[in-house]
């Protein structure tokens, strides 16, 4: 029997009416003979409301406690969806992260999936046609409830598909992967298919459709992912291995990341222990930094990097701790920059692409402050107010 | 180290401010050297709101699904309380029913606790001072989430105390056990101590402070229960074994149960199979009936009983099913009656008490329709509008 994992995000399940529409869609697919694993997020703004309540208590909630709280959001969605499905005659069962056997390791709020019991699903499909799994959550070896952090429900879905060796369909309010954000460049084209690698760059660089860890899992297990708009007739985008892709374009997309902060650190002497300790703290807090650049001169040490603005609180805390050991430490956190990246899995001639980007930005008089490259992308830090303009010019330039 | 189980009901934790007050109280007790297991209910009207949402979907939700939904209420309370405790420096850990090892059997929504892993608590107290357990919930051997039904959080607390052989303190908005409801008879007296048996009668007969199953557990494991008002200086009531009670009064209380329905069933012939099937259905739906009276005559079968009005939907369903087999079956469900009970563990001279009650009701011209007796109580069905008057007169008569 054909099995598929489907994932519906928060805006697709923001109220009971929307959940009912999804239930009817699932019923049709079951009647066509499919076994469905459905992963859902918390309804609409539920998680935000829980966090707001917590914020009224403390700015530094215990992370184990917070995980127990936040997972109730998804638990409510699985219950409602299952109540509706059973009510319209589809044999359905809701499963929390623990019940679905989603074992995790690491931070309570940023856990990584370490193990999934796929036999459990085979057994349950003897009785049920739809198994509804709460996204974003799991449990660790201490039997504690954990959450998977940003994009966690997508990760749940892809990991479940990987464990069962079946395709994964992810439904949101976006109808596929575009060469760039259509709100910035309306002529942007929707891709029918992109490679895992391209998608990873786009995600890591902030285009935001799917977090890189999900794509990494899909790539490792060679699971095709479909990205489409919830209950839409429009064809979305398949993400798959490059081997299965017929044509590889040099440049397939331009991504922009506005949700970043730029961090600069100065210290009067070249102290490698300070750097050691900084990176140890970053690792402990599981903060991903990007575009690191370091200069050591007679005037001492200068280091700068970019990171997600959602983790500003943690980096402030880290600098607070460091200043106890290194009182002369100076640091600056700025959000006046944005990162623009040009991506393409066929991007062999990096310098050719780089020089085209340079010329585009220079001709338009848009200054850039830092450049970093990966296998299939080049990223530029530009002024926040120039970001969208840069995206538009680059899309025109590369005919996206 | 002294260990105590404390339970706080829904109105005691209806908002974050109230939960903060409880946290400070718990901190004080921890500082006095206690290990605390704290059981909490869902905040205020949370459960009602979830049920309202479900009602907008269907009147017959799948019970497994509904259990998964309802348990999120308590899970949120344990998280908030633990966040606050950890924030004020008390090492605390929230535990869902599953995490607390509360194994259950039976109906998803009316499960009974079958096993508790008390070693788990001993282990966790090596690290934590307060363990916060979500009331009203557990899990069954199929790893499914279950709820314990009416008064479930109290049962959680008492069962945890039984498993750990420690006292149990139950805090609500009522400051103890009264001879009758003070809203009906303002001169009602608060007991310092009552026996398990008396308390069981009062609960079973609807005085509503604590459900009988909780008291039954406490009695079986000989665990003293304290009933008091949340964060009040007033002394509440201890419920304990009669052996430890010095004085036993003949009549200790008058209870009234307004939340009942009166069910009458007629069938033109004396069909015992019909009765068999009825009681099989009642057992299956786990409906407790009370004050059963049956008459068989030439005109056929007549049976009447009382039950909780919250289960009216289920009894309607049962009669619907029975009518398929017995089309001539006639049934009537009425809520125009109330039950008034006189309770006392020292009530040896049942006829003496009964005749006093008869006279009281007759003198006041309050008709009664049915009388049943137990070891330590006598119950009367009277008209709904006469219930409170009957309580007042009986309290005066027995000097309560």
């Amino acid at each position: 029997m054909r099995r598929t994992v489907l994932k519906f995000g928060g805006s697709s399940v923001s109220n009971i009416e929307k959940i009912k529409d999804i239930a009817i869609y699932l019923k049709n697919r079951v009647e066509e003979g499919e076994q469905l694993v459905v992963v859902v997020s918390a309804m609409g703004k539920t998680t935000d409301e829980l966090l707001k309540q917590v914020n009224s208590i403390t700015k530094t909630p215990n992370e184990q406690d917070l995980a127990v709280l936040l997972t109730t959001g998804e638990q409510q969605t699985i219950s409602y969806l299952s109540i509706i499905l059973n009510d319209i005659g589809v044999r359905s069962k809701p499963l929390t992260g623990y019940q679905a056997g989603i074992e995790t390791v690491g931070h309570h709020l940023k856990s990584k999936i370490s193990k999934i019991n796929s036999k459990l699903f085979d057994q349950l499909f003897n009785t049920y046609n739809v198994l509804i799994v709460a996204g974003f959550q799991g449990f660790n070896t201490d039997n504690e409830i954990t959450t998977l952090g940003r994009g966690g429900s997508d990760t749940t879905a892809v990991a479940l598909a990987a464990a069962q060796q079946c395709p994964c369909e992810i439904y949101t309010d976006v109808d596929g992967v575009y060469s760039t954000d259509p709100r910035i460049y309306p002529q942007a084209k929707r891709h029918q298919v992109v490679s895992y690698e391209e998608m990873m760059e786009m995600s890591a660089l902030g285009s935001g459709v799917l977090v890189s860890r999900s794509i990494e899992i899909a790539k490792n297990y060679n699971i095709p992912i479909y990205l489409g708009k919830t209950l839409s007739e429009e064809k979305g985008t398949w993400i798959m291995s490059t081997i299965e892709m017929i044509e590889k374009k040099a440049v397939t997309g331009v991504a922009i990341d506005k949700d970043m902060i730029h961090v600069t650190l100065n210290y009067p002497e070249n102290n490698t222990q300070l750097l050691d300790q900084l990176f140890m703290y970053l690792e402990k807090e599981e903060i991903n930094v990007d575009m690191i650049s370091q200069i050591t001169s007679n005037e001492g040490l200068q280091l700068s990097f970019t990171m997600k603005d959602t983790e500003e609180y943690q980096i402030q805390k880290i600098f607070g701790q460091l200043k106890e050991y290194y009182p002369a430490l100076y640091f600056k956190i700025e959000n006046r920059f944005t990162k623009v990246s040009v991506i393409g899995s066929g991007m062999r001639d990096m310098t050719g692409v780089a020089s085209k980007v340079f010329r585009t930005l220079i001709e338009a008089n848009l200054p850039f402050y830092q450049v970093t490259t990966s296998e299939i992308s080049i990223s530029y830090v530009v002024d926040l107010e120039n970001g969208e303009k840069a995206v538009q010019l680059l899309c025109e330039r590369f005919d996206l």
Side-chain angles (χ1 to χ4, degrees), chain A:
Chain A
M1 219 169 187
R2 195 151 53 95
R3 195 178 293 180
T4 310
V5 175
L6 295 91
K7 184 255 168 177
F8 295 93
S11 60
S12 311
V13 293
S14 61
N15 60 48
I16 296 289
E17 287 313 308
K18 287 188 176 186
I19 300 179
K20 278 185 186 169
D21 292 340
I22 289 171
I24 290 162
Y25 172 73
L26 297 174
K27 182 180 178 149
N28 287 333
R29 292 201 42 176
V30 166
E31 283 167 359
E32 283 166 17
E34 270 184 282
Q35 291 178 335
L36 303 179
V37 177
V38 180
V39 176
V40 287
S41 301
M43 288 169 73
K45 301 276 167 215
T46 311
T47 307
D48 291 345
E49 277 159 26
L50 293 171
L51 282 171
K52 210 173 114 189
Q53 187 77 282
V54 170
N55 243 294
S56 78
I57 300 171
T58 171
K59 302 294 169 215
T60 53
N62 177 289
E63 301 198 333
Q64 187 184 149
D65 299 345
L66 191 55
V68 175
L69 180 68
L70 294 181
T71 52
T72 61
E74 287 75 21
Q75 192 172 329
Q76 294 183 345
T77 321
I78 59 170
S79 312
Y80 287 129
L81 179 55
S82 193
I83 285 172
I84 296 168
L85 281 170
N86 278 305
D87 197 51
I88 59 174
V90 179
R91 280 172 300 155
S92 148
K93 185 186 171 81
L95 297 163
T96 64
Y98 161 73
Q99 291 177 299
I102 296 174
E103 229 181 283
T104 67
V105 288
H107 253 225
H108 284 97
L109 296 177
K110 282 182 180 179
S111 282
K112 289 182 171 53
I113 296 176
S114 53
K115 213 157 78 182
I116 285 177
N117 177 4
S118 63
K119 273 189 201 145
L120 174 76
F121 288 84
D122 295 339
Q123 283 160 18
L124 289 174
F125 275 122
N126 291 330
T127 311
Y128 301 97
N129 294 314
V130 180
L131 299 173
I132 308 169
V133 179
F136 175 71
Q137 59 183 252
F139 69 104
N140 63 21
T141 47
D142 289 333
N143 235 340
E144 290 168 341
I145 294 173
T146 58
T147 66
L148 306 177
R150 219 174 76 89
S153 290
D154 293 336
T155 311
T156 305
V158 176
L160 285 170
Q164 295 171 84
Q165 279 293 309
C166 72
C168 180
E169 304 175 8
I170 293 181
Y171 293 99
T172 62
D173 43 9
V174 179
D175 58 3
V177 179
Y178 281 80
S179 53
T180 194
D181 187 340
R183 283 168 304 185
I184 296 175
Y185 185 64
Q187 301 95 310
K189 288 166 195 150
R190 187 168 65 230
H191 294 292
Q192 283 196 309
V193 60
V194 295
S195 72
Y196 295 125
E197 293 78 7
E198 283 166 331
M199 196 64 211
M200 278 165 78
E201 287 289 338
M202 290 184 201
S203 302
L205 298 169
S207 84
V209 197
L210 196 61
V211 294
S212 359
R213 53 197 286 223
S214 303
I215 309 156
E216 210 166 302
I217 298 168
K219 182 177 178 247
N220 290 342
Y221 290 85
N222 201 22
I223 296 300
I225 305 181
Y226 175 83
L227 277 183
K229 194 168 179 164
T230 308
L231 306 182
S232 164
E233 298 283 310
E234 289 277 341
K235 283 263 172 297
T237 303
W238 279 100
I239 306 163
M240 50 172 64
S241 149
T242 37
I243 301 163
E244 289 156 52
M245 285 169 62
I246 298 161
E247 196 191 355
K248 287 157 205 163
K249 284 173 88 175
V251 172
T252 49
V254 177
I256 182 167
D257 183 7
K258 295 179 198 167
D259 305 325
M260 59 166 254
I261 47 178
H262 191 262
V263 179
T264 318
L265 173 159
N266 285 290
Y267 194 69
E269 55 173 295
N270 183 16
N271 190 319
T272 52
Q273 271 195 320
L274 166 60
L275 288 182
D276 240 30
Q277 203 160 341
L278 169 66
F279 281 96
M280 197 191 71
Y281 280 139
L282 289 171
E283 199 190 331
K284 207 177 132 211
E285 294 282 334
E286 294 183 25
I287 295 176
N288 281 323
V289 299
D290 195 15
M291 301 194 84
I292 302 168
S293 90
Q294 190 200 332
I295 301 163
T296 34
S297 67
N298 291 343
E299 283 137 63
L301 175 72
Q302 191 188 335
L303 178 81
S304 69
F305 53 82
T306 65
M307 54 177 280
K308 293 264 164 251
D309 58 5
T310 45
E311 285 158 340
E312 184 170 341
Y313 165 75
Q314 284 101 312
I315 192 76
Q316 293 273 16
K317 197 175 82 178
I318 289 174
F319 281 127
Q321 289 168 326
L322 279 176
K323 265 188 94 76
E324 285 177 24
Y325 298 97
Y326 307 98
L329 174 69
Y330 168 84
F331 67 92
K332 194 165 67 178
I333 296 173
E334 288 171 295
N335 51 14
R336 63 186 186 90
F337 298 113
T338 190
K339 185 167 57 181
V340 172
S341 309
V342 176
I343 300 152
S345 63
M347 198 194 278
R348 299 281 165 252
D349 181 10
M350 197 66 88
T351 49
V353 175
S355 84
K356 267 190 188 170
V357 178
F358 281 133
R359 255 180 293 138
T360 308
L361 297 179
I362 291 164
E363 277 164 22
N365 204 15
L366 304 178
F368 49 91
Y369 303 97
Q370 213 173 329
V371 181
T372 55
T373 59
S374 82
E375 284 282 307
I376 59 161
S377 78
I378 314 182
S379 299
Y380 299 79
V381 168
V382 301
D383 289 307
L384 188 58
E385 65 272 23
N386 291 336
E388 299 200 357
K389 183 74 189 156
V391 171
Q392 286 157 3
L393 291 171
L394 291 168
C395 283
E396 281 167 24
R397 184 75 181 220
F398 290 103
D399 189 28
L400 294 172

